[in-house]
Amino acid sequence: MKKAILFSITALLALTTFGQERKWTLQECVQYAIENNINIQQTTLDLESAAIDKSDAVGAFLPTLNGTASNSWQTGLTQNVLTGVLESQQTRNSSFGVSSGVRLINGFRNHKVLDRAELSKIAADYNIAKLKDDVALNVAVAYLQVLLAKESAKVIITQNAVTQEQIDRTQELVDGGVLPRGDLLEIRATNASERQRIVAAENSIAIGLVNLAQLLNISDFENFDIADGNYTVQGESILETQPEVLISSAKDNRYDVKIAEQNEAIAQKDLEISKTGLYPTLDAFFNYNTRESNRASGFNTILDPDDPVIDSGNPIGVVGATGDVVTSLTPNIIGGNEIGPLPFIEQLYLNDGISYGLSLRVPVFNGWSTKNQIKRSKVNVMRAEYQKELAEQNLRTAVYQAYTDAKAAKESYEAAKLAVESQELAYQYAKDRYDVGLTNAFDFSQSKLRYDNAQIELARSKYDYIFRIKVLELYFGVPVTELKF
């Protein structure tokens, strides 16, 4: 018997000392989950992507500016970049350029793309907010489930302590001949069953804590535990609000419909963007280019100082009076040398050039790709409209369901309180009769089991009622961080 009592004491201490390092409140769990949940962190990347898309859209309004530079070596018959003549040579050539362009007209496509980027950013904000609400609700459910498991375990442990006392009492009555030995065996069997239920309850607590820790992205399962605060039913006045008022408030505050509305607006904007493919585009451009080479810039000839010109022998005319033939003179070149390349900066200055103008593109036929894209965009608009309508229907259904569930949970909670009062009286009556030998152990055990189940059901209905009220408050527009428990 001492071992059995020690078992109950150990089990109860395990519930009160588990995870002494820190006890997490529900508000702390919700806040921590919002800040560290992996799904929320992933969705935050969508917001960053939307910001990048907006930056792209703004950049499309700005002109482009690009620079080019090249340096090459050529051997053999190549064109002299300075004279344009083909020569057998070994040269090094460099070229440099700057180009700029800007789109002047494109059917206002850039403006529409920027509008779409703004819509995408808003949609990303809504998605994050919705996910935070969903995570908060999931954390609240997991938290309340752990509380329920703990309450159930405490009920079983407390009643098992009573059962162990009854074993001693029954042993005395059996020894005194007041009760048959079968009653002692029955009460011992009840004790064994309750000890099994205690183990199962503790396992439920451990599993519930693991599930809650995973939602919070906490890996230290062994030291994770929640505070055993006395959570009371708060906010019951929400049940006095008419469902239509709740639905109207939910449309203004919940993100399901807002996301669907944004997706519809994005689809409409995509349709406008696809239609810009039917309009001409006008671009302006400006280019500046220059070059230089290590090729000689010219040839310096040397004339005979004594006889700088000579008769070439080529006739160029006849003297009319005498009939003498006139021939041309040519320089008397006795040598020469190449002139080195001009200075680098001077070559760039002498060889530069610019080009500028406008470029017009008019779409005439492109294999129906633009028209097909417009058709696809129209289909997406219709799909987004249906999704919006479905979201509104789902929201209306969800609010009505939540309202009905909350009212049912309230009735269940009130009935559970009455059931506990009745079962407690019945249990006390059966206990008094059992103590004086007026009822058998089986009837007493059944009465005790009904009382235990009534207490567990009271705890379950209480936390279910609390959760249902909080769901209604969220629909009514109460922020997650301001929910009171």
Side-chain angles (χ1 to χ4, degrees):
M1 182 54 58
K2 291 182 178 180
K3 292 182 179 180
I5 296 176
L6 181 62
F7 172 82
S8 294
I9 295 175
T10 302
L12 188 58
L13 288 175
L15 292 175
T16 58
T17 60
F18 184 86
Q20 288 293 326
E21 294 187 0
R22 179 178 181 179
K23 298 282 189 176
W24 291 71
T25 65
L26 178 55
Q27 288 77 6
E28 290 174 340
C29 287
V30 169
Q31 187 63 37
Y32 189 88
I34 290 176
E35 296 174 356
N36 297 275
N37 184 269
I38 294 179
N39 290 331
I40 293 179
Q41 293 175 352
Q42 288 179 332
T43 306
T44 304
L45 298 178
D46 295 337
L47 187 60
E48 295 183 13
S49 297
I52 295 173
D53 291 340
K54 181 180 178 180
S55 179
D56 287 339
V58 173
F61 287 93
L62 305 178
T64 61
L65 180 63
N66 298 289
T68 60
S70 67
N71 190 63
S72 62
W73 288 263
Q74 297 174 323
T75 301
L77 187 64
T78 57
Q79 185 182 43
N80 189 317
V81 297
L82 300 179
T83 64
V85 179
L86 291 175
E87 301 177 4
S88 180
Q89 57 184 334
Q90 182 177 1
T91 60
R92 179 193 57 77
N93 303 307
S94 298
S95 64
F96 307 91
V98 176
S99 62
S100 179
V102 62
R103 181 148 292 179
L104 303 177
I105 299 174
N106 63 349
F108 298 101
R109 180 183 180 87
N110 291 348
H111 294 82
K112 299 180 188 301
V113 171
L114 179 59
D115 292 341
R116 188 193 189 284
E118 293 283 359
L119 294 173
S120 296
K121 183 179 181 300
I122 296 174
D125 286 331
Y126 286 162
N127 281 319
I128 293 175
K130 179 182 182 299
L131 185 57
K132 287 181 179 180
D133 284 353
D134 293 342
V135 168
L137 279 178
N138 292 334
V139 169
V141 171
Y143 195 97
L144 295 178
Q145 287 178 342
V146 175
L147 285 179
L148 176 58
K150 286 191 172 187
E151 290 291 336
S152 299
K154 287 180 181 179
V155 169
I156 300 172
I157 291 172
T158 301
Q159 291 302 316
N160 182 250
V162 175
T163 300
Q164 291 167 17
E165 294 176 359
Q166 290 300 320
I167 292 177
D168 295 335
R169 175 61 177 162
T170 303
Q171 183 68 58
E172 295 176 358
L173 293 176
V174 170
D175 293 341
V178 178
L179 294 176
R181 183 170 179 78
D183 285 1
L184 178 61
L185 298 177
E186 178 68 30
I187 202 69
R188 285 178 176 175
T190 300
N191 178 59
S193 176
E194 289 176 348
R195 291 174 66 175
Q196 288 180 331
R197 293 171 62 194
I198 290 173
V199 173
E202 291 175 344
N203 186 59
S204 297
I205 294 173
I207 293 175
L209 288 173
V210 169
N211 293 334
L212 180 58
Q214 287 178 332
L215 288 175
L216 272 60
N217 197 22
I218 293 177
S219 57
D220 187 9
F221 300 148
E222 294 183 359
N223 296 317
F224 178 74
D225 195 12
I226 64 173
D228 299 331
N230 183 24
Y231 293 90
T232 59
V233 178
Q234 300 186 44
E236 291 183 276
S237 59
I238 192 71
L239 292 175
E240 299 175 3
T241 306
Q242 293 298 318
E244 290 299 329
V245 177
L246 291 172
I247 292 173
S248 177
S249 179
K251 288 182 178 180
D252 296 333
N253 295 284
R254 293 295 295 170
Y255 297 100
D256 306 73
V257 175
K258 289 183 178 181
I259 291 173
E261 290 174 344
Q262 285 302 120
N263 289 336
E264 181 186 12
I266 290 174
Q268 290 283 2
K269 192 59 63 176
D270 286 337
L271 176 59
E272 295 178 10
I273 293 173
S274 62
K275 288 182 178 180
T276 61
L278 299 173
Y279 298 98
T281 58
L282 179 64
D283 297 316
F285 63 88
F286 175 86
N287 299 308
Y288 172 82
N289 297 282
T290 187
R291 59 189 182 275
E292 68 86 27
S293 175
N294 68 346
R295 183 65 176 165
S297 60
F299 189 84
N300 185 26
T301 59
I302 300 175
L303 301 179
D304 187 345
D306 298 328
D307 191 10
V309 295
I310 59 175
D311 188 352
S312 67
N314 297 323
I316 59 174
V318 178
V319 179
T322 62
D324 295 335
V325 176
V326 181
T327 59
S328 65
L329 298 178
T330 184
N332 186 15
I333 299 173
I334 61 175
N337 58 344
E338 290 185 343
I339 301 175
L342 295 174
F344 179 80
I345 299 298
E346 186 176 352
Q347 287 193 56
L348 296 181
Y349 175 75
L350 294 175
N351 299 325
D352 67 349
I354 62 173
S355 63
Y356 52 89
L358 299 174
S359 175
L360 178 66
R361 185 185 68 87
V362 180
V364 178
F365 180 75
N366 56 4
W368 299 293
S369 62
T370 301
K371 289 186 176 180
N372 289 337
Q373 181 59 43
I374 294 174
K375 291 179 180 178
R376 276 190 291 268
S377 298
K378 289 181 178 180
V379 171
N380 290 335
V381 169
M382 295 178 62
R383 182 180 291 110
E385 290 174 349
Y386 289 143
Q387 289 294 335
K388 174 187 173 183
E389 183 178 352
L390 181 61
E392 292 176 347
Q393 292 178 355
N394 289 340
L395 180 63
R396 174 177 290 272
T397 301
V399 172
Y400 267 110
Q401 183 68 46
Y403 182 78
T404 304
D405 289 343
K407 292 187 65 176
K410 178 181 181 180
E411 294 176 0
S412 177
Y413 178 52
E414 297 295 337
K417 289 192 292 185
L418 295 176
V420 167
E421 294 176 2
S422 299
Q423 292 297 336
E424 183 179 10
L425 294 175
Y427 163 72
Q428 189 61 47
Y429 178 74
K431 182 177 180 298
D432 293 340
R433 287 175 56 84
Y434 180 75
D435 288 341
V436 296
L438 296 179
T439 187
N440 57 45
F442 177 78
D443 292 338
F444 171 69
S445 297
Q446 292 298 308
S447 178
K448 182 172 176 297
L449 179 61
R450 287 191 294 269
Y451 180 45
D452 293 348
N453 291 337
Q455 289 180 300
I456 294 173
E457 176 60 22
L458 176 61
R460 186 205 65 77
S461 61
K462 171 186 173 181
Y463 290 121
D464 181 63
Y465 184 33
I466 291 175
F467 174 73
R468 302 299 176 186
I469 289 178
K470 300 311 151 186
V471 171
L472 278 184
E473 289 180 342
L474 284 176
Y475 282 131
F476 195 62
V478 178
V480 173
T481 54
E482 297 181 11
L483 294 177
K484 296 180 180 181
F485 292 88

